[in-house]
């Protein structure tokens, strides 16, 4: 599923549907370095089958001390906010739209950064063993590092996946993916040299995987492969064979 982007591992974060987080939640705290951190979330319903969640947070962080006791002058502050909508057209169709924005002042206001993204996902369940999922997202990340360079990165990512059962003992999954990244760099100081100010990256992939339940609930063999086409090494074939035994 992950391909060459998963160099040392994968962190998989699954967020709750807005239907599962109604009402108000808030928090706050502070300390010597993390001077202030606060946030709030509120969820509700727009009709009987559409649910929403809005949220916002803020952090204020002081400079870290260096080993010699002097300040590292790396204090920063930032806020983060966004929303999520979940619409259940029927018992088997689920649509999600979500977006969030982050803005940060870095290095005691010498540098700044922001990130904004938007995601849409459609899921359709045919049975307990069969479902479709299509997802698309756009992301922009900007950072102006006063001592180094200014960078902007735009990412568009499209994925589709289908799970289905084949007989009683085989569960198959296949999918397609495409990611486009456009980067723009501009140096802010002669101490940094930018060789390529504008460059793009393309990553296309397809995969197929079969979970064969040799002995149901005890012994499963997983066989699959991913084909990946990237701008660095061309076509990559990534086969996988695993077995799980539960005594």
């Amino acid at each position: 599923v992950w391909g060459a982007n998963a160099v040392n591992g994968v962190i998989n974060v699954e967020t709750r549907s807005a239907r599962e987080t109604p009402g108000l939640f808030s928090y706050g705290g502070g300390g010597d370095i993390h001077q202030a951190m606060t946030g709030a979330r509120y969820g509700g319903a727009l009709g009987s089958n559409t649910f929403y969640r809005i949220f916002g947070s803020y952090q204020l962080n002081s400079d870290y001390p260096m080993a010699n006791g002097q300040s590292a002058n790396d204090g920063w502050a930032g806020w983060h906010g966004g929303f999520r909508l979940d619409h259940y057209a029927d018992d088997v169709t689920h649509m999600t739209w979500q977006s969030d924005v982050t803005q940060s002042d870095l290095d005691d206001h010498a540098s700044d950064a922001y990130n904004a993204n938007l995601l849409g996902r459609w899921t359709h369940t045919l049975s307990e063993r069969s479902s479709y999922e299509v997802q698309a997202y756009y992301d922009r990340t900007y950072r102006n590092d006063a001592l180094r360079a200014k960078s902007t990165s735009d990412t568009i990512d499209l994925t589709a996946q289908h799970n289905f059962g084949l007989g009683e003992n085989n569960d198959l999954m296949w999918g397609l993916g495409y990611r486009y990244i456009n980067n723009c760099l501009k140096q802010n100081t002669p101490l940094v040299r930018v060789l390529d100010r504008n460059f793009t990256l393309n990553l296309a992939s397809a995969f197929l995987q079969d979970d064969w339940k040799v002995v149901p609930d005890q012994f499963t063999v997983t066989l699959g492969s991913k084909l990946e086409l990237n701008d660095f090494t061309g076509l990559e074939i990534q086969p996988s064979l695993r077995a799980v035994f539960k005594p």
Side-chain angles (χ1 to χ4, degrees), residues 93-131:
T93 305
H94 177 203
M95 289 175 281
T96 299
W97 300 270
Q98 65 184 56
S99 177
D100 61 274
V101 178
T102 303
Q103 193 277 330
S104 302
D105 290 317
L106 309 170
D107 301 328
D108 282 340
H109 307 289
S111 306
D112 63 287
Y114 72 82
N115 171 263
N117 58 76
L118 177 66
L119 178 145
R121 181 170 55 246
W122 173 81
T123 303
H124 184 70
T125 303
L126 300 176
S127 67
E128 292 183 358
R129 299 175 61 195
S130 180
S131 64

Side-chain angles (χ1 to χ4, degrees), residues 24-238:
L24 176 66
F25 169 81
S26 63
Y27 68 90
D32 53 354
I33 297 295
H34 303 296
Q35 294 178 328
M37 41 192 166
T38 182
R41 180 192 76 211
Y42 185 79
L46 301 172
S48 60
N49 56 359
T50 302
F51 304 85
Y52 72 91
R53 178 170 68 232
I54 57 175
F55 61 89
S57 65
Y58 175 77
Q59 281 196 54
L60 177 63
N61 299 276
S62 180
D63 301 325
Y64 274 92
M66 297 191 293
N68 60 9
Q70 295 181 349
S71 172
N73 296 318
D74 58 354
W76 65 276
W79 60 267
H80 176 212
F83 74 90
R84 171 166 172 156
L85 285 174
D86 288 281
H87 175 68
Y88 297 85
D90 48 47
D91 293 337
V92 296
T93 305
H94 177 203
M95 289 175 281
T96 299
W97 300 270
Q98 65 184 56
S99 177
D100 61 274
V101 178
T102 303
Q103 193 277 330
S104 302
D105 290 317
L106 309 170
D107 301 328
D108 282 340
H109 307 289
S111 306
D112 63 287
Y114 72 82
N115 171 263
N117 58 76
L118 177 66
L119 178 145
R121 181 170 55 246
W122 173 81
T123 303
H124 184 70
T125 303
L126 300 176
S127 67
E128 292 183 358
R129 299 175 61 195
S130 180
S131 64
Y132 294 97
E133 180 178 292
V134 178
Q135 178 176 286
Y137 78 77
Y138 167 75
D139 177 280
R140 162 163 280 203
T141 299
Y142 167 86
R143 177 160 180 154
N144 180 18
D145 192 325
L147 301 178
R148 296 175 181 85
K150 182 186 298 183
S151 65
T152 303
S153 180
D154 294 286
T155 301
I156 298 174
D157 188 275
L158 307 171
T159 58
Q161 184 172 304
H162 179 207
N163 307 325
F164 63 97
L166 185 63
E168 295 183 356
N169 297 328
N170 288 271
D171 290 319
L172 278 79
M173 174 174 62
W174 69 276
L176 302 170
Y178 174 71
R179 176 175 293 186
Y180 170 81
I181 304 175
N182 181 61
N183 299 279
C184 180
L185 294 171
K186 182 180 179 181
Q187 64 191 59
N188 287 338
T189 170
L191 299 177
V192 174
R193 184 183 180 191
V194 177
L195 299 179
D196 191 353
R197 294 191 175 188
N198 295 279
F199 61 96
T200 60
L201 300 173
N202 293 272
L203 181 69
S205 63
F207 69 89
L208 173 65
Q209 178 174 291
D210 178 28
D211 287 330
W212 176 29
K213 300 177 179 62
V214 182
V215 180
D217 300 323
Q218 280 194 317
F219 183 55
T220 301
V221 174
T222 300
L223 174 65
S225 183
K226 182 166 188 172
L227 300 177
E228 192 171 77
L229 184 64
N230 65 76
D231 292 337
F232 294 103
T233 60
L235 180 63
E236 297 283 354
I237 301 176
Q238 304 168 350

